[in-house]
Amino acid sequence: MSPAARSKIHAVYREMRRAGPIHRVTDPFSGAPAWLVLTHEGANRVLRDTDGFIRDASSLMSDEQRTAAPPLPPAALALVGLTHKDPPEHTRLRALVQKSFTPRRVDGLRARSRLLARRLLDAIDGEDEFDLLAAFAFPLPILIILELLGLPGEDYARFRGWSEALVGDDIPRKLEVAGIVRAYLDPVIDRRARTPSDDLLSGLVHARTSDGERLSRDELHAMVIVLLVAGHESTVSLIANGALALLTHPEQRARLLADPALMRPAIEEMLRFDGPIDFSFVRYASAATELCGASIERGQRVFVSLLAANRDPDVFDAPDRFDIGRQARGHIAFGVGIHACVGAPLARLEGAEALLELSRRRPGLELAIPAEAVAWRPSRLIHSPRVLPVRGR
Ligand code: HEM
């Protein structure tokens, strides 16, 4: 997790993968022993075997342990949404959010993404040197999520602060913000319950399963928080890492400008080459098992490096080469299995619109520092530069 290792993370994983498909590590957050899977095959096994590798460790507790555990404060309920659940609860929540994530609603955001990208580029039109991350990559995804949910764009600054706290590791602050978001959402949810509009929040408030069940108020809070957290920084990083790949591969950028229809495979290649997310969410072994030749004990944590799996030479030819024409099918930047990203169509669309506008408007843009000097965030989750200094027009 050190900044030095993060800045050459692909080389680190290449070495580790050569030494073996799975490694014993320490969970940097809890300090507990854990496993890290680095191959495409191992990643698929863990993410698809939802009986063997579960998300909610509390189901492994004995009745006594469960009774002895302190009750969660009410705001904590808003922090354990869809991503933290296993079937059957996950199946129900997922069906409800999937219903609201209609292709029409997502596609409706294409023109909006383009317009927002243009406005952000207008705002820096006079500048020859700027941070592409702060000026362009960062604001777009959160504005789009607000639009998707039907929340006012003027609340951007507030959501930005909340989102930052919610992805952070400061638990008391997270709980405080979860409480603030709940209080913010309640009157909005009440309004949507009385008078639905065309947004995703109305969809979530009114969605019903085939048994007529709906999301409870706690589940609605948690769902909005999951969408905000899962959809924001990951998409920022798709735009930033995609721009970086294009800036450091001018021949690929020229190909894209000559044939914008290549944007579709190019986005897949960006997701494969330098995906926005490194580790999947942690999984717990539900029973002692064998994985990639290692003996995993019941309850042990297993992480999957999506970045390493997406450069597995057994699956991708010359994996360290960035080639927008390669049709990078089979990358797992959005995960696989039942937890695979619900927002993938939206993320692809935002990335494509943003990067096309940027390439057209600033075809002469270049990195203002050597590529090796780009500082990456020391995060196991988000794989993104901290800043992206660029210059030129
Ligand atoms: C390029 C941008 C994105 C990337 C790379 C990405 C990646 C992922 C990955 C890897 C997972 C699965 C994690 C795991 O299994 O441990 C996931 C789940 C999820 N993503 Fe995304 N995501 C992106 C954008 C979005 C957007 C824009 C939204 C919504 C607005 C979103 C909403 C979700 C949700 C709700 C889940 C949980 C699904 C479940 O547990 O069933 N994501 N995402």
Side-chain angles (χ1 to χ4, degrees):
M1 291 307 121
S2 72
R6 294 298 323 172
S7 68
K8 52 174 172 87
I9 196 68
H10 295 295
V12 171
Y13 286 151
R14 194 162 50 237
E15 287 264 303
M16 287 176 77
R17 204 188 312 94
R18 274 198 202 119
I22 185 165
H23 289 256
R24 192 77 202 244
V25 294
T26 303
D27 175 356
F29 186 50
S30 65
W35 295 94
L36 175 61
V37 176
L38 299 171
T39 58
H40 196 269
E41 188 187 338
N44 269 278
R45 156 96 198 276
V46 173
L47 299 179
R48 289 183 194 276
D49 178 3
T50 36
D51 292 332
F53 298 98
I54 58 174
R55 283 286 294 132
D56 181 3
S58 68
S59 60
L60 299 176
M61 289 181 181
S62 64
D63 286 346
E64 294 90 78
Q65 282 172 321
R66 208 165 294 137
T67 327
L72 287 176
L77 290 176
L79 296 176
V80 285
L82 184 65
T83 50
H84 290 73
K85 309 281 184 187
D86 293 306
E89 217 180 333
H90 174 267
T91 320
R92 185 177 135 266
L93 293 174
R94 174 89 188 200
L96 285 165
V97 72
Q98 197 85 60
K99 253 186 194 160
S100 310
F101 241 97
T102 57
R104 194 181 53 86
R105 212 167 255 153
V106 171
D107 214 53
L109 290 168
R110 183 178 295 281
R112 192 72 194 149
S113 300
R114 192 174 311 156
L115 184 74
L116 287 172
R118 281 184 189 157
R119 283 204 190 136
L120 291 169
L121 289 168
D122 285 345
I124 45 175
D125 205 34
E127 301 189 29
D128 285 332
E129 204 160 339
F130 56 95
D131 173 10
L132 186 64
L133 196 106
F136 186 64
F138 198 88
L140 189 80
I142 201 157
L143 287 167
I144 291 291
I145 293 178
L146 292 180
E147 185 96 16
L148 174 77
L149 286 166
L151 300 172
E154 305 87 73
D155 289 342
Y156 166 79
R158 277 204 273 178
F159 270 89
R160 186 185 162 155
W162 294 340
S163 163
E164 227 167 79
L166 290 167
V167 290
D169 288 336
D170 180 346
I171 305 289
R173 174 74 185 136
K174 260 177 144 147
L175 287 170
E176 186 194 344
V177 167
I180 298 174
V181 176
R182 277 163 27 124
Y184 170 94
L185 285 175
D186 275 335
V188 188
I189 293 173
D190 290 340
R191 277 201 298 279
R192 297 298 195 281
R194 282 193 306 270
T195 340
S197 57
D198 201 26
D199 52 52
L200 186 105
L201 188 57
S202 299
L204 289 172
V205 170
H206 292 275
R208 282 168 190 269
T209 60
S210 44
D211 302 335
E213 264 196 84
R214 330 167 154 226
L215 292 168
S216 67
R217 185 57 69 114
D218 284 335
E219 288 170 341
L220 271 172
H221 294 145
M223 193 66 89
V224 171
I225 288 183
V226 162
L227 291 172
L228 184 67
V229 170
H232 175 210
E233 301 223 26
S234 49
T235 315
V236 171
S237 153
L238 168 62
I239 299 172
N241 298 1
L244 178 62
L246 290 173
L247 292 172
T248 48
H249 296 80
E251 74 301 339
Q252 300 294 319
R253 193 165 167 219
R255 251 176 109 186
L256 184 62
L257 272 174
D259 180 6
L262 276 175
M263 196 40 139
R264 196 180 275 262
I267 285 285
E268 300 312 309
E269 177 64 346
M270 290 167 196
L271 287 159
R272 183 200 71 79
F273 182 74
D274 240 343
I277 296 190
D278 190 353
F279 288 15
S280 68
F281 290 120
V282 64
R283 301 311 199 259
Y284 299 88
S286 62
T289 187
E290 189 272 355
L291 176 65
C292 304
S295 298
I296 315 290
E297 289 167 31
R298 179 177 187 270
Q300 276 188 330
R301 292 164 162 81
V302 179
F303 292 101
V304 164
S305 167
L306 304 171
L307 286 190
N310 282 336
R311 292 210 188 188
D312 185 337
D314 286 343
V315 179
F316 302 101
D317 255 7
D320 298 324
R321 195 178 65 217
F322 178 64
D323 172 4
I324 62 167
R326 87 154 70 215
Q327 311 285 343
R329 268 183 225 106
H331 77 70
I332 56 169
F334 287 120
V336 283
I338 61 166
H339 288 285
C341 183
V342 102
L346 176 60
R348 288 185 163 110
L349 171 159
E350 280 179 60
E353 292 301 328
L355 290 167
L356 260 186
E357 276 309 306
L358 178 71
S359 305
R360 283 190 182 129
R361 279 278 285 274
R362 310 285 294 240
L365 207 62
E366 56 181 38
L367 260 187
I369 54 172
E372 312 72 64
V374 170
W376 294 78
R377 282 171 53 168
S379 158
R380 65 177 181 195
L381 181 66
I382 299 287
H383 175 63
S384 164
R386 288 171 195 264
V387 286
L388 204 49
V390 291
R391 65 172 169 235
R393 307 210 56 83

